Amino acid sequence: MLSWAPPTTPPTTTRVLGAALYYYFAMDQSVGSQVELIREAFHYQARFDGTTMVFKVDFPVTEEPGFPFLVKDLALLAGTGIRVLIVPGAKEWIDSVLGEYGIVSRYAGAVRVTTGAALPFVEMAAFHVATRFITGLAASRVDAVTGNFVRAQGLGVVDGEDMAHTGVVKKILVEPLRRVMESGMVPILPCIGWSSSGRPYNVPSDEIALAASAALGAVKLFIITAGNKLSAENYDIPESVQRDDTGRIVRLSIQEAGSILERNWKAPGGDKGLEAIGLALKAARTGVERVHLVNAREEGAVLRELFSNLGAGTMVYGDEYESVRPLTIDDVSDVLRLMEPLMKQGVLVRRGPEDIIEKKDDYAVFEIDGSIHAAGALHNWGEAQGEIAALATNPAYADMGLGRNLVRYFVDRAKKAGFRRVFVLTTVTHDWFELLGFRELPVESLPEKKRRLYDSGRKSKVFGLDL
Ligand SMILES: CC(C)(COP(=O)(O)OP(=O)(O)OC[C@H]1O[C@@H](n2cnc3c(N)ncnc32)[C@H](O)[C@@H]1OP(=O)(O)O)[C@@H](O)C(=O)NCCC(=O)NCCS
């Protein structure tokens, strides 16, 4: 039996990867297929070097006999130059700790109501689970840290229920996390966040994983569960869905994932597999390119999912611009219908069909199932600056990442056009642009042509993003 452990300072990533692959895949294979597997893995490794991947690990994976192997695999990935961030779920463990101390766990829907009495035990349980990872990584000689990287705010009173110390993610502290990961350490984010004044809140780990993936621009989010195989045996799935000969669902588009959730609907807390698909769908819609659902009970599943074409789990993919496309003349009336209520409220500057047609090539639309649900434009004002304007999302599709995806699309377009900055003029949406990395700028920073047209009566703020 080969034994292998990642070195403290990784030498060439290829050497580490080669050794890992040999250990994990190749032992029972013919020489030909060993070589194929190693080729595949090197191909993927080159793509992933220096990228960030988030691993949301559900409880009770930490209690499974295969847990040390999973942690070893994560250590291995960290050693190959991938920036690994771990978000451990602790729900059932917290419930059992609270039970042990005679505190009844109360839920509002799927969300725990964390009372003042429960909070110290919730913290204890959350950090206990995080420590299991630290211990496992230490055994693989990989440094790990937990810390106050999650800014939270209280949920307050929801439907008459005081949610007390239950919070939501307000912000992920990206810079300190980046520094940690750049130095080769693995950050572990337990399900606790702190307000700016230092008040602790219990925050669902799903939310932390989502927010961290988005804030860090993760190329992948792994959702690792214990024993939840997504297969045609267990769920009603559409015909189009790709599965392998064991019935495993291999890949799901955003649309297919949505359709599975609809066909198999269960109340929150009713089915872990469906919850994982729900989380994957949300992540894919907010711009994570690939989400992988993996069963921790299959040894090496993370590595196989990552480094082989066949995979070992289920991949949910939301190709970034899958649904974003340039505007055509036929879209103009749909776009105006989207914008009309916002123009009426004064949120958007009034435009008529002729204005849109005149600048037709500047516009792009977000199409879902053949209908337009968001639109916007990128105007060139010279001086290598572009204005993102007329951004509007159908309220029925709010908070699904459509707006964010359009902004990313325009930022990409602006970069390709050689712009050095994109800016927006906004009266009510500056907080949202700030979340996307835009910063307030003086009106004087606008390109000359735009500055001359600036309507000082409207008092729009200027927010910009340097490219
Ligand atoms: C701003 C707008 C385009 C966002 O579209 P969207 O598709 O719902 O946005 P996303 O799904 O990408 O982002 C949603 C997130 O931003 C938050 N958000 C949405 N509007 C916000 C605002 N005005 N201020 C702060 N945050 C906002 C949501 O709460 C959500 O947060 P979450 O991460 O906790 O879920 C949409 O609300 C809209 O059409 N607004 C009116 C038009 C406008 O203001 N346009 C900009 C001027 S050009």
Side-chain angles (χ1 to χ4, degrees):
M1 175 87 174
L2 267 175
S3 72
W4 188 89
T8 23
T9 37
T12 62
T13 53
T14 46
R15 199 139 42 96
V16 176
L17 189 75
L21 273 165
Y22 185 71
Y23 174 62
Y24 281 102
F25 305 140
M27 291 193 311
D28 299 331
Q29 312 278 338
S30 69
V31 172
S33 53
Q34 282 178 26
V35 170
E36 256 329 291
L37 281 167
I38 292 170
R39 278 201 189 112
E40 262 179 39
F42 277 114
H43 161 78
Y44 283 112
Q45 198 281 330
R47 267 179 48 196
F48 299 145
D49 197 11
T51 60
T52 299
M53 296 187 191
V54 173
F55 295 83
K56 156 84 208 304
V57 186
D58 261 0
F59 196 83
V61 171
T62 45
E63 311 309 303
E64 294 276 316
F67 177 65
F69 299 104
L70 170 71
V71 180
K72 209 167 184 183
D73 290 350
L74 298 183
L76 201 59
L77 294 180
T80 63
I82 292 170
R83 293 174 185 179
V84 170
L85 181 143
I86 299 172
V87 182
K91 186 166 173 250
E92 292 81 359
W93 179 248
I94 293 173
D95 286 343
S96 76
V97 168
L98 289 177
E100 191 83 2
Y101 288 89
I103 298 172
V104 179
S105 288
R106 223 178 55 248
Y107 284 87
V111 183
R112 178 195 312 285
V113 181
T114 307
T115 59
L119 182 67
F121 300 102
V122 170
E123 289 174 320
M124 182 173 84
F127 276 89
H128 167 79
V129 176
T131 306
R132 304 268 288 128
F133 284 89
I134 295 180
T135 306
L137 290 167
S140 290
R141 279 170 280 150
V142 168
D143 299 332
V145 286
T146 55
N148 52 354
F149 301 112
V150 177
R151 271 281 147 75
Q153 68 186 32
L155 267 176
V157 177
V158 179
D159 294 333
E161 173 88 64
D162 182 358
M163 300 301 287
H165 286 274
T166 304
V168 288
V169 178
K170 195 169 166 219
K171 192 170 155 190
I172 297 290
L173 301 182
V174 170
E175 279 319 311
L177 269 178
R178 285 227 168 98
R179 283 201 297 275
V180 163
M181 288 191 281
E182 268 161 24
S183 68
M185 287 195 268
V186 173
I188 297 164
L189 307 186
C191 54
I192 306 288
W194 289 264
S195 71
S196 343
S197 60
R199 212 175 145 84
Y201 287 99
N202 175 203
V203 179
S205 51
D206 278 4
E207 265 209 35
I208 295 178
L210 264 183
S213 303
L216 293 163
V219 293
K220 285 179 185 294
L221 165 64
F222 275 82
I223 303 169
I224 304 175
T225 55
N228 291 97
K229 185 178 172 187
L230 293 177
S231 80
E233 252 171 53
N234 312 336
Y235 299 98
D236 171 14
I237 63 168
E239 266 309 299
S240 64
V241 167
Q242 190 193 340
R243 56 201 107 167
D244 70 5
D245 46 18
T246 70
R248 169 174 64 99
I249 301 171
V250 179
R251 292 157 61 88
L252 287 175
S253 67
I254 286 185
Q255 287 77 9
E256 288 167 339
S259 156
I260 290 184
L261 287 182
E262 251 172 51
R263 287 167 178 239
N264 299 275
W265 190 86
K266 291 218 173 61
D271 184 295
K272 282 246 179 195
L274 292 178
E275 275 172 26
I277 296 182
L279 176 61
L281 185 57
K282 239 180 155 182
R285 277 180 175 153
T286 50
V288 182
E289 288 168 31
R290 302 280 185 265
V291 186
H292 298 266
L293 308 170
V294 166
N295 177 5
R297 289 193 183 148
E298 286 175 38
E299 202 196 332
V302 167
L303 293 186
R304 280 192 283 143
E305 179 69 7
L306 196 52
F307 292 121
S308 67
N309 292 332
L310 238 51
T314 300
M315 177 176 83
V316 179
Y317 60 100
D319 274 331
E320 223 175 332
Y321 308 138
E322 184 176 57
S323 316
V324 181
R325 60 165 176 79
L327 172 130
T328 67
I329 293 287
D330 292 341
D331 301 323
V332 173
S333 55
D334 288 339
V335 169
L336 279 168
R337 206 172 309 132
L338 265 184
M339 288 168 55
E340 183 54 35
L342 297 164
M343 295 193 291
K344 231 184 215 150
Q345 291 163 31
V347 174
L348 294 184
V349 171
R350 184 152 285 286
R351 292 163 177 86
E354 61 293 339
D355 301 311
I356 298 183
I357 291 167
E358 192 195 335
K359 300 238 158 124
K360 176 176 129 334
D361 294 342
D362 291 3
Y363 281 81
V365 294
F366 201 120
E367 194 181 49
I368 300 172
D369 283 344
S371 315
I372 290 169
H373 294 293
L378 174 73
H379 301 307
N380 180 359
W381 288 99
E383 299 176 35
Q385 294 203 54
E387 178 190 11
I388 294 179
L391 204 61
T393 295
N394 174 352
Y397 283 77
D399 301 343
M400 290 184 178
L402 275 59
R404 192 191 303 250
N405 266 300
L406 267 175
V407 169
R408 286 163 72 133
Y409 173 85
F410 287 130
V411 165
D412 220 25
R413 209 192 239 190
K415 278 185 188 158
K416 284 183 187 137
F419 293 174
R420 65 179 170 83
R421 173 184 288 164
V422 287
F423 65 88
V424 290
L425 295 189
T426 170
T427 48
V428 292
T429 320
H430 49 275
D431 283 348
W432 185 71
F433 282 107
E434 206 156 26
L435 279 175
L436 301 183
F438 285 64
R439 293 287 164 263
E440 185 160 12
L441 297 170
V443 174
E444 294 67 41
S445 69
L446 290 173
E448 166 79 23
K449 269 203 256 170
K450 180 73 191 175
R451 205 163 54 233
R452 273 196 266 121
L453 292 173
Y454 179 76
D455 177 358
S456 51
R458 207 172 140 75
K459 296 205 170 63
S460 302
K461 292 187 178 181
V462 180
F463 272 72
L465 180 76
D466 289 333
L467 306 177

